[in-house]
Amino acid sequence: MKGIWSARRLGDVCVFDKVQGDHRHLPYVGLEHIEPNTARFVGSTQPQAVRSATFRFSTEHVLYGRLRPYLNKVLAPHFNGHCSTEIFPLRPSRQLAREYLVYWLLDEVTMGHINATCTGARMPRADMNEVLDFEIPTPPLPEQQRIVGILDEAFAGIAAAKANAEKNLQNARAIFEGHLRAVFYQGGSGAGEYPEIDRRRHHYDPQQFDNGVVDAQIASLNGGQVTKTGGRHASLRHIPGEMSLAVGMPKTRAKSGWRWSVLSDLARLESGHTPSRRYPEYWAGTIPWIGIPDAREHHGRRITSTFQTVSEQGIANSSSRVLPANTVCLSRTASVGYVIIMGRPMATSQDFVNWVCASELVPDFLMYLLLAEGRDGFRRYSSGSVHQTIYFPEAKAFCICHPEPQEQARIVRQCEALSTETQRLASVYERKLAALDELKRSLLHQAFSGQL
């Protein structure tokens, strides 16, 4: 039987304990130790000292992260400790169940109201004085405990269902990744010796490129000019890989029917560029321009539209160039390892190395070959103390292992079929996860509107 509901000022049923000091003998809770939206603790209960002042808390408190409150970081700690001053320890009175307060703070409606009190654009913080003036529905304690019991049971079931869906989602993606590894694994190209690289083969000369179709494509998109990527010569380093990519020509034997080739013998290497942003007329034109956000969103797929576009004037007045459809693009800077294929003529930023494939190399085959490396795999070809980057000397020295074009096409069809099925399964599990999140939101809304 539901009791009589009333609304109380939050500050009348809980207090903010500001007990600062040196609490190095206690476990520490920072914002990074509270999982968003779940009230889960993901830190350690070992004593930890920090340099700055902290607030002390006990098992009577609810911890609320006021920095970026849209992250919804709430915790009912099961241990005594100290926390960042960006986390407010709220101690409920006897009229307010601690777990009830946690669920109220997690409610999307409450979060929205708290978010509206924020000040600061880059580091928004909730105004906790305003928050303490909020009204919280406060039915009698037995009713609060009844609601908490229902939510505990429902959320435990939702958490189990989410964990199962997330595992199935990971498994679906792992099937495709495992297939790529099986297709492109060469037994590790690190064993054995490496022959020296002839610099002349890696210093691009339009006279030596054997596919006039590629020249004609690029010329038609760039005012009749056939551009080339200059800069330093190819690296003479040898960097082995486990799959079908390496820097330098491996001497180890390729698997049956495959052979190692210098990638620039099979495709023209092209760079990207960013037109000056000082000239608005260079931007918002008709030519799609690929940046890292585009590559992140379309990783492993064809791309036909981009977040930003440039104008013909922007292309003409910069080192940027328009590349033909089917150009394979690899991100090479801080976000190394995103791979996409142009679905139409486009330009890219300088964050990419791009390959326009000649007749001996199927573009989709090259994309899957690069995907098989995995984003972590590309780090072996990267360098830099702050941001890992694949520099052009290494890209110019890329060698790939490949079969004949007919077999490449067969492999592409196989990969595409499995990729389609993987994406279908991923969509199913992603929809399940979204539905479970919506169920949580609905239950919280019902709980604090007297409908549960």
Side-chain angles (χ1 to χ4, degrees):
M1 187 77 179
K2 293 185 179 181
I4 300 172
W5 282 63
S6 61
R8 303 280 297 277
R9 178 179 170 272
L10 181 62
D12 293 336
V13 288
C14 73
V15 295
F16 168 32
D17 283 336
K18 302 180 182 180
V19 182
Q20 290 193 39
D22 182 357
H23 310 298
R24 67 183 63 194
H25 60 289
L26 293 171
Y28 172 72
V29 176
L31 286 168
E32 67 275 16
H33 302 137
I34 305 175
E35 191 173 72
N37 300 307
T38 67
R40 283 186 61 235
F41 178 61
V42 291
S44 169
T45 56
Q46 294 298 313
Q48 180 183 345
V50 293
R51 293 182 180 179
S52 56
T54 57
F55 293 139
R56 184 164 182 167
F57 64 83
S58 71
T59 54
E60 296 181 352
H61 289 92
V62 169
L63 304 183
Y64 182 75
R66 68 159 183 158
L67 178 65
R68 299 189 180 95
Y70 54 81
L71 294 177
N72 221 2
K73 296 198 171 190
V74 188
L75 179 67
H78 61 279
F79 55 89
N80 297 334
H82 63 128
C83 63
S84 161
T85 53
E86 297 291 0
I87 298 174
F88 281 19
L90 302 173
R91 181 164 48 82
S93 69
R94 293 182 179 180
Q95 290 79 42
L96 188 63
R98 189 170 75 131
E99 293 76 12
Y100 180 87
L101 175 59
V102 168
Y103 281 126
W104 180 76
L105 288 168
L106 286 174
D107 183 20
E108 195 173 60
V109 174
T110 305
M111 181 189 68
H113 290 155
I114 293 176
N115 208 40
T117 72
C118 284
T119 56
R122 293 184 60 187
M123 303 281 280
R125 291 176 171 84
D127 184 332
M128 294 305 292
N129 289 325
E130 286 190 47
V131 173
L132 290 171
D133 277 335
F134 286 1
E135 289 190 339
I136 177 173
T138 49
L141 201 57
E143 175 66 7
Q144 294 179 37
Q145 293 166 341
R146 184 189 74 86
I147 290 171
V148 167
I150 293 173
L151 292 177
D152 280 347
E153 183 177 358
F155 279 28
I158 290 171
K162 283 192 71 173
N164 188 53
E166 286 167 351
K167 183 178 180 180
N168 288 334
L169 178 58
Q170 290 171 1
N171 288 342
R173 290 170 175 161
I175 289 171
F176 181 65
E177 292 167 2
H179 176 74
L180 289 179
R181 290 186 66 84
V183 170
F184 292 100
Y185 182 68
Q186 298 296 330
S189 58
E193 299 178 355
Y194 290 78
E196 286 301 318
I197 294 178
D198 184 346
R199 281 183 180 273
R200 292 171 296 177
R201 296 184 68 197
H202 296 276
H203 185 56
Y204 176 73
D205 181 349
Q207 298 294 325
Q208 295 178 3
F209 198 76
D210 66 352
N211 196 318
V213 173
V214 172
D215 289 350
Q217 283 181 302
I218 294 179
S220 68
L221 296 168
N222 293 276
Q225 293 185 347
V226 178
T227 57
K228 66 176 182 178
T229 295
R232 292 179 290 165
H233 292 296
S235 173
L236 296 181
R237 293 197 299 158
H238 294 293
I239 307 175
E242 290 185 348
M243 298 293 115
S244 296
L245 181 70
V247 168
M249 180 67 73
K251 192 176 181 180
T252 50
R253 183 178 299 175
K255 60 185 178 181
S256 179
W258 292 52
R259 70 179 188 274
W260 284 95
S261 297
V262 179
L263 180 52
S264 60
D265 286 350
L266 304 172
R268 182 199 296 280
L269 174 64
E270 291 281 347
S271 60
H273 189 73
T274 302
S276 174
R277 296 189 183 275
R278 291 184 298 172
Y279 300 96
E281 61 271 24
Y282 290 177
W283 293 87
T286 59
I287 301 168
W289 182 81
I290 299 173
I292 292 294
D294 303 295
R296 183 183 298 116
E297 181 168 316
H298 297 275
H299 180 53
R301 304 195 306 274
R302 288 180 177 269
I303 179 171
T304 56
S305 62
T306 55
F307 290 114
Q308 297 183 77
T309 58
V310 294
S311 66
E312 292 183 4
Q313 191 175 359
I315 295 291
N317 289 279
S318 72
S319 298
S320 191
R321 60 200 70 172
V322 183
L323 302 176
N326 293 319
T327 296
V328 180
C329 312
L330 169 68
S331 64
R332 66 178 189 89
T333 55
S335 298
V336 172
Y338 289 119
V339 188
I340 53 176
I341 294 185
M342 293 182 182
R344 53 183 288 199
M346 296 180 169
T348 77
S349 75
Q350 64 274 17
D351 297 308
F352 296 87
V353 281
N354 311 299
W355 288 278
V356 186
C357 297
S359 58
E360 289 295 305
L361 184 59
V362 176
D364 295 82
F365 175 84
L366 177 59
M367 178 185 73
Y368 288 123
L369 182 152
L370 296 174
L371 285 173
E373 287 290 315
R375 293 194 60 219
D376 287 340
F378 279 107
R379 298 188 186 280
R380 66 169 58 93
Y381 311 117
S382 307
S383 55
S385 56
V386 179
H387 296 298
Q388 291 292 297
T389 299
I390 299 176
Y391 290 101
F392 275 94
E394 281 65 48
K396 289 177 179 179
F398 273 161
C399 295
I400 65 167
C401 197
H402 62 97
E404 296 301 316
Q406 185 176 357
E407 176 63 7
Q408 293 177 34
R410 187 195 69 79
I411 289 171
V412 166
R413 290 192 296 270
Q414 193 178 50
C415 289
E416 284 177 343
L418 186 56
S419 176
T420 299
E421 178 60 15
T422 299
Q423 289 173 25
R424 185 191 70 79
L425 288 173
S427 261
V428 169
Y429 297 127
E430 284 166 352
R431 287 197 298 271
K432 285 184 178 180
L433 289 169
L436 290 167
D437 285 337
E438 180 55 38
L439 178 58
K440 281 184 68 173
R441 287 191 288 269
S442 175
L443 285 170
L444 286 171
H445 174 72
Q446 292 175 53
F448 299 106
S449 58
Q451 302 174 49
L452 200 60

